[in-house]
């Protein structure tokens, strides 16, 4: 724990001491996580000391210190333990690309609460939301549709016919079946409303 002497003599920002943290907390090694990632997603919340002086680090300080030490793949391994706010903060690190993770590894986002994932989706800058929805399989669509303020059927029902036809023309039968099963979307009616030239590839 910090002492008065520590607090008076420490002028620099507190630092994360991986060796101390791992030796002081045997569960870190058992978790299989890197000590810094463990502290970010578990230790901080549990009040574990980040250094021998007991000086706490907030998320921003930790990301600034260790953000470039890990690869995208290492961050992805820790994602199931994170929430939307953790990922927004982590996106500030040069070694992590949140938009890329959502495009290439969307299945990992099923570990988050649906509302958290939807919030991250609508904040994406590198790809229009509807383009990412178009890439989803039926499991992804069902997961997103379970968010409290999302209606996938309504998204497609209000889409321009030519755009919807372009998307659905490339969809699998599994995706189409899921969409057709939604109360807010009538697949047969949508196809009838689409001009013939929209449906021809």
């Amino acid at each position: 724990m910090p002492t008065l002497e520590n607090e008076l003599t420490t002028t620099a920002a507190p630092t994360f001491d991986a060796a101390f943290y791992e030796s002081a907390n045997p569960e870190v090694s058992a978790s299989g996580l890197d000590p810094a990632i463990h502290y970010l997603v578990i230790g901080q919340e549990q009040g574990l000391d980040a250094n021998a002086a007991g000086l706490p680090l907030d998320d921003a300080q930790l990301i600034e210190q260790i953000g470039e030490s890990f690869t995208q793949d290492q961050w992805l391994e820790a994602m199931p333990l994170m929430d939307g706010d953790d990922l927004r903060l982590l996106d500030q690190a040069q070694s992590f690309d949140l938009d890329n993770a959502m495009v290439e590894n969307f299945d990992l986002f099923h570990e988050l609460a649906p509302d958290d994932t939807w919030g991250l989706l609508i904040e994406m800058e590198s790809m229009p939301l509807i383009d990412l929805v178009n890439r989803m399989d039926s499991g992804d669509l069902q997961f997103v549709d379970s968010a409290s303020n999302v209606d996938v059927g309504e998204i497609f029902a209000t889409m321009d016919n030519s755009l919807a036809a372009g998307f659905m023309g490339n969809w699998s039968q599994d995706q189409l079946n899921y969409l057709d099963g939604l109360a807010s979307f009538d697949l047969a009616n949508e196809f009838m409303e689409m001009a013939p030239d929209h449906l021809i590839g």
Side-chain angles (χ1 to χ4, degrees), residues 46-157:
Q46 294 181 350
L48 302 182
D49 290 336
N51 46 60
L55 299 174
L57 284 78
D58 60 30
D59 287 343
Q61 290 171 324
L62 184 61
I63 291 297
E64 182 178 358
Q65 290 180 30
I66 57 95
E68 311 316 315
S69 303
F70 301 99
T71 65
Q72 177 91 346
D73 287 343
Q74 287 175 300
W75 287 124
L76 291 176
E77 288 177 8
M79 264 190 54
L81 299 170
M82 299 185 184
D83 60 21
D85 288 338
D86 290 330
L87 291 170
R88 289 183 182 91
L89 184 67
L90 186 57
D91 197 34
Q92 299 174 22
Q94 293 292 326
S95 59
F96 183 73
D97 185 334
L98 179 57
D99 284 8
N100 176 267
M102 298 199 80
V103 172
E104 300 297 334
N105 303 93
F106 189 74
D107 57 315
L108 294 177
F109 288 81
H110 289 217
E111 303 290 340
L112 277 66
D115 284 357
D116 262 0
T117 296
W118 181 251
L120 294 170
L121 280 170
I122 62 178
E123 294 168 12
M124 278 190 64
E125 298 179 352
S126 62
M127 177 182 290
L129 173 62
I130 194 60
D131 286 352
L132 185 55
V133 172
N134 180 50
R135 294 168 61 102
M136 295 179 180
D137 60 28
S138 58
D140 295 333
L141 292 169
Q142 184 175 9
F143 173 72
V144 168
D145 206 33
S146 66
S148 59
N149 57 345
V150 179
D151 186 333
V152 169
E154 185 66 20
I155 291 174
F156 280 92

Side-chain angles (χ1 to χ4, degrees), residues 165-186:
F167 284 163
M168 289 186 284
N170 294 316
W171 271 21
S172 68
Q173 191 61 49
D174 189 44
Q175 289 169 301
L176 292 172
N177 288 342
Y178 177 79
L179 191 59
D180 194 34
L182 299 174
S184 55
F185 189 85
D186 186 332

Side-chain angles (χ1 to χ4, degrees), residues 31-45:
S31 73
L33 294 172
D34 181 276
I37 294 179
H38 185 282
Y39 181 74
L40 176 67
V41 299
I42 298 176
Q44 212 174 16
E45 191 172 312

